[in-house]
Amino acid sequence: MTADGLLNDFAIRSFRDVADGDYIVARMAYRSGLAAQCLWASQQAIEKYLKCILFLNRIPAREVKHDLGAAMSRIENSGKVGPDLTKLTQDFIRHLDTYGRFRYLETSYYLWAWHLPALDRAVWEVRRYCTLSDGPRNVKLQGGLSPNKVRLPCGYLEKIIDDAKSPARGPLLWQNAFFGKRARKKVAAGGSFHATNSPLSLHPEIVDEVLRYTYLPKGMKEAYRALLAERASGHAAGEPT
């Protein structure tokens, strides 16, 4: 295998294949009512798909880390590949960037029932660029759902779909309009609205004490100090508490 071939193999196995697993984990978490884990696994999947696109197209992105917006901007500004993503998918990626990359309830979050089909749609749209084959990249959505049988060469999801005995097959195909061997016009994902307030959003006054004992992501301290100042200003002005 050539050096380019080895690099492409690294991108596929380390990013795309692992992202496929994260995607299935996100669906399992959603079905189990684990909203925070669903959001985090969803963010991890999209992050790795984007990093696969960056790597396959040799777009340097060492500083991107967990920032989906930065990864998207790097891809769009490269001039090498222009992902054609629907507004729904762009909005969902922004939602994950806001609520999905925090693992310890540093911020509040929410998850609606429609976020599962939004995840399926986003994975289908982004993942088709995780290959150097032109075929999948040129396929577009039709009537709001994916065209039939869009398959990536040697894809991990494709192997699971083809293996009737795979324990991951059921969680992947459950109420999934975008992956599977048969077309679905409707899905019934079930579930309900989930939302949780972060302890720091309720009590930003403890942020400095929290930082004495654990790490918070960059900018978090300043954000909660600003929230505390805003609340103090509102109380001083006589706003209701």
mmCIF file of all heavy atoms in Angstrom, residues 50-91:
data_model
loop_
_atom_site.group_PDB
_atom_site.id
_atom_site.type_symbol
_atom_site.label_atom_id
_atom_site.label_comp_id
_atom_site.label_asym_id
_atom_site.label_seq_id
_atom_site.Cartn_x
_atom_site.Cartn_y
_atom_site.Cartn_z
ATOM 1 N N LEU A 50 -16.492 14.587 10.377
ATOM 2 C CA LEU A 50 -15.880 15.803 9.843
ATOM 3 C C LEU A 50 -14.359 15.681 9.800
ATOM 4 O O LEU A 50 -13.718 16.121 8.831
ATOM 5 C CB LEU A 50 -16.295 17.006 10.684
ATOM 6 C CG LEU A 50 -17.787 17.381 10.642
ATOM 7 C CD1 LEU A 50 -18.072 18.539 11.591
ATOM 8 C CD2 LEU A 50 -18.224 17.737 9.225
ATOM 9 N N LYS A 51 -13.765 15.067 10.822
ATOM 10 C CA LYS A 51 -12.313 14.892 10.827
ATOM 11 C C LYS A 51 -11.875 13.913 9.738
ATOM 12 O O LYS A 51 -10.783 14.056 9.174
ATOM 13 C CB LYS A 51 -11.852 14.425 12.206
ATOM 14 C CG LYS A 51 -11.910 15.537 13.245
ATOM 15 C CD LYS A 51 -11.416 15.089 14.608
ATOM 16 C CE LYS A 51 -11.397 16.272 15.583
ATOM 17 N NZ LYS A 51 -10.985 15.874 16.946
ATOM 18 N N CYS A 52 -12.716 12.950 9.434
ATOM 19 C CA CYS A 52 -12.419 12.035 8.331
ATOM 20 C C CYS A 52 -12.398 12.800 7.011
ATOM 21 O O CYS A 52 -11.493 12.616 6.179
ATOM 22 C CB CYS A 52 -13.455 10.913 8.281
ATOM 23 S SG CYS A 52 -13.169 9.707 6.952
ATOM 24 N N ILE A 53 -13.381 13.670 6.810
ATOM 25 C CA ILE A 53 -13.422 14.489 5.587
ATOM 26 C C ILE A 53 -12.171 15.354 5.493
ATOM 27 O O ILE A 53 -11.532 15.446 4.432
ATOM 28 C CB ILE A 53 -14.694 15.364 5.577
ATOM 29 C CG1 ILE A 53 -15.949 14.491 5.534
ATOM 30 C CG2 ILE A 53 -14.676 16.316 4.389
ATOM 31 C CD1 ILE A 53 -17.241 15.258 5.757
ATOM 32 N N LEU A 54 -11.814 15.996 6.594
ATOM 33 C CA LEU A 54 -10.624 16.836 6.616
ATOM 34 C C LEU A 54 -9.377 16.041 6.259
ATOM 35 O O LEU A 54 -8.552 16.462 5.445
ATOM 36 C CB LEU A 54 -10.468 17.477 7.997
ATOM 37 C CG LEU A 54 -11.467 18.580 8.360
ATOM 38 C CD1 LEU A 54 -11.485 18.817 9.868
ATOM 39 C CD2 LEU A 54 -11.122 19.874 7.629
ATOM 40 N N PHE A 55 -9.242 14.858 6.865
ATOM 41 C CA PHE A 55 -8.031 14.055 6.664
ATOM 42 C C PHE A 55 -7.962 13.503 5.249
ATOM 43 O O PHE A 55 -6.904 13.546 4.604
ATOM 44 C CB PHE A 55 -7.988 12.925 7.687
ATOM 45 C CG PHE A 55 -6.607 12.380 7.931
ATOM 46 C CD1 PHE A 55 -5.898 12.731 9.068
ATOM 47 C CD2 PHE A 55 -6.008 11.517 7.021
ATOM 48 C CE1 PHE A 55 -4.622 12.238 9.295
ATOM 49 C CE2 PHE A 55 -4.739 11.009 7.239
ATOM 50 C CZ PHE A 55 -4.042 11.371 8.379
ATOM 51 N N LEU A 56 -9.068 12.971 4.749
ATOM 52 C CA LEU A 56 -9.061 12.410 3.396
ATOM 53 C C LEU A 56 -8.707 13.454 2.350
ATOM 54 O O LEU A 56 -8.100 13.140 1.319
ATOM 55 C CB LEU A 56 -10.430 11.801 3.069
ATOM 56 C CG LEU A 56 -10.781 10.471 3.726
ATOM 57 C CD1 LEU A 56 -12.201 10.069 3.371
ATOM 58 C CD2 LEU A 56 -9.799 9.372 3.318
ATOM 59 N N ASN A 57 -9.079 14.696 2.616
ATOM 60 C CA ASN A 57 -8.807 15.773 1.664
ATOM 61 C C ASN A 57 -7.535 16.547 2.007
ATOM 62 O O ASN A 57 -7.256 17.592 1.409
ATOM 63 C CB ASN A 57 -10.004 16.710 1.595
ATOM 64 C CG ASN A 57 -11.201 16.066 0.929
ATOM 65 O OD1 ASN A 57 -11.295 16.020 -0.285
ATOM 66 N ND2 ASN A 57 -12.115 15.534 1.737
ATOM 67 N N ARG A 58 -6.779 16.024 3.009
ATOM 68 C CA ARG A 58 -5.503 16.599 3.417
ATOM 69 C C ARG A 58 -5.640 18.080 3.771
ATOM 70 O O ARG A 58 -4.848 18.925 3.322
ATOM 71 C CB ARG A 58 -4.451 16.408 2.320
ATOM 72 C CG ARG A 58 -4.252 14.960 1.882
ATOM 73 C CD ARG A 58 -3.771 14.053 3.032
ATOM 74 N NE ARG A 58 -3.387 12.739 2.517
ATOM 75 C CZ ARG A 58 -4.183 11.679 2.484
ATOM 76 N NH1 ARG A 58 -5.428 11.766 2.961
ATOM 77 N NH2 ARG A 58 -3.759 10.529 1.992
ATOM 78 N N ILE A 59 -6.657 18.372 4.577
ATOM 79 C CA ILE A 59 -6.885 19.724 5.069
ATOM 80 C C ILE A 59 -6.372 19.775 6.504
ATOM 81 O O ILE A 59 -6.959 19.141 7.386
ATOM 82 C CB ILE A 59 -8.374 20.098 5.015
ATOM 83 C CG1 ILE A 59 -8.925 19.921 3.596
ATOM 84 C CG2 ILE A 59 -8.596 21.524 5.502
ATOM 85 C CD1 ILE A 59 -10.442 20.007 3.518
ATOM 86 N N PRO A 60 -5.289 20.482 6.792
ATOM 87 C CA PRO A 60 -4.748 20.520 8.164
ATOM 88 C C PRO A 60 -5.779 21.063 9.150
ATOM 89 O O PRO A 60 -6.427 22.074 8.884
ATOM 90 C CB PRO A 60 -3.544 21.467 8.041
ATOM 91 C CG PRO A 60 -3.173 21.424 6.592
ATOM 92 C CD PRO A 60 -4.463 21.264 5.852
ATOM 93 N N ALA A 61 -5.932 20.385 10.270
ATOM 94 C CA ALA A 61 -6.946 20.796 11.254
ATOM 95 C C ALA A 61 -6.564 20.326 12.651
ATOM 96 O O ALA A 61 -7.419 19.885 13.415
ATOM 97 C CB ALA A 61 -8.312 20.253 10.851
ATOM 98 N N ARG A 62 -5.299 20.454 13.001
ATOM 99 C CA ARG A 62 -4.841 19.964 14.304
ATOM 100 C C ARG A 62 -5.512 20.690 15.462
ATOM 101 O O ARG A 62 -5.720 20.127 16.530
ATOM 102 C CB ARG A 62 -3.329 20.119 14.408
ATOM 103 C CG ARG A 62 -2.546 19.195 13.481
ATOM 104 C CD ARG A 62 -1.055 19.430 13.605
ATOM 105 N NE ARG A 62 -0.602 19.211 14.978
ATOM 106 C CZ ARG A 62 0.640 19.432 15.383
ATOM 107 N NH1 ARG A 62 1.537 19.909 14.518
ATOM 108 N NH2 ARG A 62 0.986 19.192 16.631
ATOM 109 N N GLU A 63 -5.853 21.967 15.266
ATOM 110 C CA GLU A 63 -6.406 22.773 16.354
ATOM 111 C C GLU A 63 -7.921 22.724 16.429
ATOM 112 O O GLU A 63 -8.514 23.367 17.294
ATOM 113 C CB GLU A 63 -5.946 24.234 16.206
ATOM 114 C CG GLU A 63 -6.551 24.987 15.035
ATOM 115 C CD GLU A 63 -5.907 24.661 13.689
ATOM 116 O OE1 GLU A 63 -5.055 23.755 13.625
ATOM 117 O OE2 GLU A 63 -6.269 25.303 12.693
ATOM 118 N N VAL A 64 -8.579 21.970 15.567
ATOM 119 C CA VAL A 64 -10.047 21.922 15.557
ATOM 120 C C VAL A 64 -10.590 21.295 16.839
ATOM 121 O O VAL A 64 -11.583 21.755 17.405
ATOM 122 C CB VAL A 64 -10.545 21.153 14.317
ATOM 123 C CG1 VAL A 64 -12.006 20.745 14.483
ATOM 124 C CG2 VAL A 64 -10.389 22.011 13.062
ATOM 125 N N LYS A 65 -9.979 20.200 17.289
ATOM 126 C CA LYS A 65 -10.376 19.498 18.511
ATOM 127 C C LYS A 65 -11.859 19.122 18.471
ATOM 128 O O LYS A 65 -12.281 18.401 17.606
ATOM 129 C CB LYS A 65 -10.016 20.333 19.735
ATOM 130 C CG LYS A 65 -8.509 20.553 19.874
ATOM 131 C CD LYS A 65 -8.141 21.320 21.119
ATOM 132 C CE LYS A 65 -6.636 21.493 21.186
ATOM 133 N NZ LYS A 65 -6.218 22.269 22.370
ATOM 134 N N HIS A 66 -12.684 19.639 19.426
ATOM 135 C CA HIS A 66 -14.087 19.208 19.500
ATOM 136 C C HIS A 66 -15.068 20.241 18.942
ATOM 137 O O HIS A 66 -16.266 20.157 19.172
ATOM 138 C CB HIS A 66 -14.457 18.917 20.952
ATOM 139 C CG HIS A 66 -13.551 17.924 21.621
ATOM 140 N ND1 HIS A 66 -13.391 16.634 21.164
ATOM 141 C CD2 HIS A 66 -12.740 18.039 22.699
ATOM 142 C CE1 HIS A 66 -12.537 15.994 21.941
ATOM 143 N NE2 HIS A 66 -12.108 16.830 22.862
ATOM 144 N N ASP A 67 -14.565 21.230 18.217
ATOM 145 C CA ASP A 67 -15.383 22.330 17.725
ATOM 146 C C ASP A 67 -15.933 21.987 16.333
ATOM 147 O O ASP A 67 -15.216 22.053 15.331
ATOM 148 C CB ASP A 67 -14.536 23.602 17.675
ATOM 149 C CG ASP A 67 -15.345 24.850 17.410
ATOM 150 O OD1 ASP A 67 -16.399 24.750 16.761
ATOM 151 O OD2 ASP A 67 -14.933 25.935 17.863
ATOM 152 N N LEU A 68 -17.220 21.631 16.271
ATOM 153 C CA LEU A 68 -17.827 21.247 14.995
ATOM 154 C C LEU A 68 -17.877 22.432 14.039
ATOM 155 O O LEU A 68 -17.681 22.270 12.831
ATOM 156 C CB LEU A 68 -19.232 20.695 15.222
ATOM 157 C CG LEU A 68 -19.364 19.485 16.149
ATOM 158 C CD1 LEU A 68 -20.807 18.995 16.179
ATOM 159 C CD2 LEU A 68 -18.431 18.364 15.735
ATOM 160 N N GLY A 69 -18.188 23.612 14.565
ATOM 161 C CA GLY A 69 -18.246 24.795 13.721
ATOM 162 C C GLY A 69 -16.903 25.087 13.070
ATOM 163 O O GLY A 69 -16.834 25.439 11.882
ATOM 164 N N ALA A 70 -15.822 24.933 13.839
ATOM 165 C CA ALA A 70 -14.481 25.156 13.291
ATOM 166 C C ALA A 70 -14.157 24.125 12.218
ATOM 167 O O ALA A 70 -13.554 24.453 11.182
ATOM 168 C CB ALA A 70 -13.448 25.098 14.409
ATOM 169 N N ALA A 71 -14.554 22.872 12.445
ATOM 170 C CA ALA A 71 -14.315 21.828 11.444
ATOM 171 C C ALA A 71 -15.086 22.125 10.162
ATOM 172 O O ALA A 71 -14.549 21.993 9.051
ATOM 173 C CB ALA A 71 -14.721 20.464 12.007
ATOM 174 N N MET A 72 -16.351 22.524 10.304
ATOM 175 C CA MET A 72 -17.157 22.858 9.130
ATOM 176 C C MET A 72 -16.540 24.027 8.366
ATOM 177 O O MET A 72 -16.461 24.000 7.124
ATOM 178 C CB MET A 72 -18.580 23.199 9.557
ATOM 179 C CG MET A 72 -19.415 22.011 9.992
ATOM 180 S SD MET A 72 -19.772 20.872 8.619
ATOM 181 C CE MET A 72 -20.653 21.965 7.497
ATOM 182 N N SER A 73 -16.110 25.054 9.073
ATOM 183 C CA SER A 73 -15.517 26.222 8.420
ATOM 184 C C SER A 73 -14.237 25.845 7.675
ATOM 185 O O SER A 73 -13.989 26.309 6.558
ATOM 186 C CB SER A 73 -15.213 27.314 9.445
ATOM 187 O OG SER A 73 -16.398 27.818 10.012
ATOM 188 N N ARG A 74 -13.436 24.987 8.304
ATOM 189 C CA ARG A 74 -12.189 24.568 7.664
ATOM 190 C C ARG A 74 -12.479 23.812 6.361
ATOM 191 O O ARG A 74 -11.785 24.006 5.353
ATOM 192 C CB ARG A 74 -11.385 23.695 8.637
ATOM 193 C CG ARG A 74 -9.965 23.384 8.202
ATOM 194 C CD ARG A 74 -9.114 24.626 8.045
ATOM 195 N NE ARG A 74 -9.050 25.409 9.245
ATOM 196 C CZ ARG A 74 -8.123 25.238 10.187
ATOM 197 N NH1 ARG A 74 -7.190 24.308 10.031
ATOM 198 N NH2 ARG A 74 -8.096 26.014 11.246
ATOM 199 N N ILE A 75 -13.500 22.963 6.379
ATOM 200 C CA ILE A 75 -13.874 22.225 5.167
ATOM 201 C C ILE A 75 -14.386 23.176 4.094
ATOM 202 O O ILE A 75 -13.970 23.133 2.933
ATOM 203 C CB ILE A 75 -14.939 21.160 5.495
ATOM 204 C CG1 ILE A 75 -14.344 20.062 6.386
ATOM 205 C CG2 ILE A 75 -15.504 20.546 4.214
ATOM 206 C CD1 ILE A 75 -15.375 19.116 6.980
ATOM 207 N N GLU A 76 -15.295 24.058 4.477
ATOM 208 C CA GLU A 76 -15.919 24.966 3.507
ATOM 209 C C GLU A 76 -14.911 25.927 2.902
ATOM 210 O O GLU A 76 -15.012 26.290 1.723
ATOM 211 C CB GLU A 76 -17.051 25.739 4.191
ATOM 212 C CG GLU A 76 -18.226 24.860 4.574
ATOM 213 C CD GLU A 76 -19.175 25.536 5.554
ATOM 214 O OE1 GLU A 76 -18.861 26.664 6.000
ATOM 215 O OE2 GLU A 76 -20.227 24.939 5.867
ATOM 216 N N ASN A 77 -13.924 26.363 3.693
ATOM 217 C CA ASN A 77 -12.952 27.346 3.210
ATOM 218 C C ASN A 77 -11.780 26.726 2.471
ATOM 219 O O ASN A 77 -10.937 27.449 1.924
ATOM 220 C CB ASN A 77 -12.424 28.176 4.387
ATOM 221 C CG ASN A 77 -13.510 29.038 5.026
ATOM 222 O OD1 ASN A 77 -14.473 29.427 4.374
ATOM 223 N ND2 ASN A 77 -13.363 29.329 6.307
ATOM 224 N N SER A 78 -11.717 25.407 2.460
ATOM 225 C CA SER A 78 -10.570 24.736 1.846
ATOM 226 C C SER A 78 -10.592 24.803 0.325
ATOM 227 O O SER A 78 -9.553 24.761 -0.323
ATOM 228 C CB SER A 78 -10.527 23.269 2.281
ATOM 229 O OG SER A 78 -11.591 22.537 1.674
ATOM 230 N N GLY A 79 -11.791 24.872 -0.249
ATOM 231 C CA GLY A 79 -11.923 24.827 -1.693
ATOM 232 C C GLY A 79 -11.750 23.435 -2.271
ATOM 233 O O GLY A 79 -11.841 23.235 -3.482
ATOM 234 N N LYS A 80 -11.522 22.439 -1.401
ATOM 235 C CA LYS A 80 -11.300 21.067 -1.865
ATOM 236 C C LYS A 80 -12.580 20.253 -1.901
ATOM 237 O O LYS A 80 -12.729 19.343 -2.721
ATOM 238 C CB LYS A 80 -10.268 20.381 -0.966
ATOM 239 C CG LYS A 80 -8.877 20.976 -1.060
ATOM 240 C CD LYS A 80 -7.890 20.157 -0.251
ATOM 241 C CE LYS A 80 -6.469 20.688 -0.420
ATOM 242 N NZ LYS A 80 -5.479 19.872 0.327
ATOM 243 N N VAL A 81 -13.466 20.527 -0.986
ATOM 244 C CA VAL A 81 -14.727 19.791 -0.928
ATOM 245 C C VAL A 81 -15.781 20.718 -0.332
ATOM 246 O O VAL A 81 -15.526 21.398 0.663
ATOM 247 C CB VAL A 81 -14.599 18.495 -0.089
ATOM 248 C CG1 VAL A 81 -14.090 18.796 1.307
ATOM 249 C CG2 VAL A 81 -15.915 17.741 -0.041
ATOM 250 N N GLY A 82 -16.932 20.774 -0.956
ATOM 251 C CA GLY A 82 -17.988 21.654 -0.457
ATOM 252 C C GLY A 82 -19.195 20.843 -0.056
ATOM 253 O O GLY A 82 -20.037 20.523 -0.899
ATOM 254 N N PRO A 83 -19.320 20.454 1.206
ATOM 255 C CA PRO A 83 -20.451 19.612 1.612
ATOM 256 C C PRO A 83 -21.786 20.317 1.414
ATOM 257 O O PRO A 83 -21.986 21.434 1.876
ATOM 258 C CB PRO A 83 -20.170 19.349 3.101
ATOM 259 C CG PRO A 83 -19.271 20.455 3.529
ATOM 260 C CD PRO A 83 -18.458 20.823 2.322
ATOM 261 N N ASP A 84 -22.664 19.656 0.687
ATOM 262 C CA ASP A 84 -23.992 20.197 0.400
ATOM 263 C C ASP A 84 -24.939 19.691 1.480
ATOM 264 O O ASP A 84 -25.525 18.617 1.359
ATOM 265 C CB ASP A 84 -24.439 19.745 -0.993
ATOM 266 C CG ASP A 84 -25.807 20.283 -1.368
ATOM 267 O OD1 ASP A 84 -26.261 21.247 -0.718
ATOM 268 O OD2 ASP A 84 -26.432 19.748 -2.302
ATOM 269 N N LEU A 85 -25.086 20.456 2.558
ATOM 270 C CA LEU A 85 -25.894 20.044 3.695
ATOM 271 C C LEU A 85 -27.168 20.879 3.761
ATOM 272 O O LEU A 85 -27.142 22.092 3.551
ATOM 273 C CB LEU A 85 -25.109 20.214 5.002
ATOM 274 C CG LEU A 85 -23.742 19.532 5.081
ATOM 275 C CD1 LEU A 85 -23.110 19.785 6.442
ATOM 276 C CD2 LEU A 85 -23.868 18.039 4.813
ATOM 277 N N THR A 86 -28.286 20.217 4.085
ATOM 278 C CA THR A 86 -29.547 20.938 4.221
ATOM 279 C C THR A 86 -29.506 21.829 5.458
ATOM 280 O O THR A 86 -28.698 21.634 6.369
ATOM 281 C CB THR A 86 -30.721 19.962 4.342
ATOM 282 O OG1 THR A 86 -30.544 19.172 5.534
ATOM 283 C CG2 THR A 86 -30.804 19.044 3.131
ATOM 284 N N LYS A 87 -30.420 22.792 5.500
ATOM 285 C CA LYS A 87 -30.495 23.692 6.651
ATOM 286 C C LYS A 87 -30.816 22.917 7.929
ATOM 287 O O LYS A 87 -30.298 23.233 9.005
ATOM 288 C CB LYS A 87 -31.547 24.773 6.429
ATOM 289 C CG LYS A 87 -31.613 25.807 7.561
ATOM 290 C CD LYS A 87 -32.641 26.878 7.269
ATOM 291 C CE LYS A 87 -32.630 27.944 8.374
ATOM 292 N NZ LYS A 87 -32.927 27.388 9.707
ATOM 293 N N LEU A 88 -31.652 21.879 7.822
ATOM 294 C CA LEU A 88 -31.977 21.072 8.996
ATOM 295 C C LEU A 88 -30.724 20.436 9.593
ATOM 296 O O LEU A 88 -30.548 20.422 10.815
ATOM 297 C CB LEU A 88 -32.996 19.993 8.622
ATOM 298 C CG LEU A 88 -34.447 20.449 8.442
ATOM 299 C CD1 LEU A 88 -35.287 19.306 7.905
ATOM 300 C CD2 LEU A 88 -35.014 20.958 9.754
ATOM 301 N N THR A 89 -29.870 19.920 8.735
ATOM 302 C CA THR A 89 -28.645 19.295 9.223
ATOM 303 C C THR A 89 -27.686 20.341 9.783
ATOM 304 O O THR A 89 -27.061 20.122 10.836
ATOM 305 C CB THR A 89 -27.973 18.495 8.102
ATOM 306 O OG1 THR A 89 -28.735 17.286 7.888
ATOM 307 C CG2 THR A 89 -26.543 18.111 8.447
ATOM 308 N N GLN A 90 -27.562 21.476 9.137
ATOM 309 C CA GLN A 90 -26.704 22.539 9.662
ATOM 310 C C GLN A 90 -27.188 22.994 11.041
ATOM 311 O O GLN A 90 -26.379 23.211 11.953
ATOM 312 C CB GLN A 90 -26.687 23.715 8.692
ATOM 313 C CG GLN A 90 -26.020 23.399 7.357
ATOM 314 C CD GLN A 90 -26.082 24.569 6.403
ATOM 315 O OE1 GLN A 90 -25.805 25.710 6.764
ATOM 316 N NE2 GLN A 90 -26.465 24.297 5.165
ATOM 317 N N ASP A 91 -28.505 23.135 11.202
ATOM 318 C CA ASP A 91 -29.060 23.540 12.496
ATOM 319 C C ASP A 91 -28.798 22.487 13.563
ATOM 320 O O ASP A 91 -28.491 22.818 14.720
ATOM 321 C CB ASP A 91 -30.569 23.790 12.376
ATOM 322 C CG ASP A 91 -30.895 25.047 11.585
ATOM 323 O OD1 ASP A 91 -29.987 25.870 11.360
ATOM 324 O OD2 ASP A 91 -32.068 25.198 11.173
#
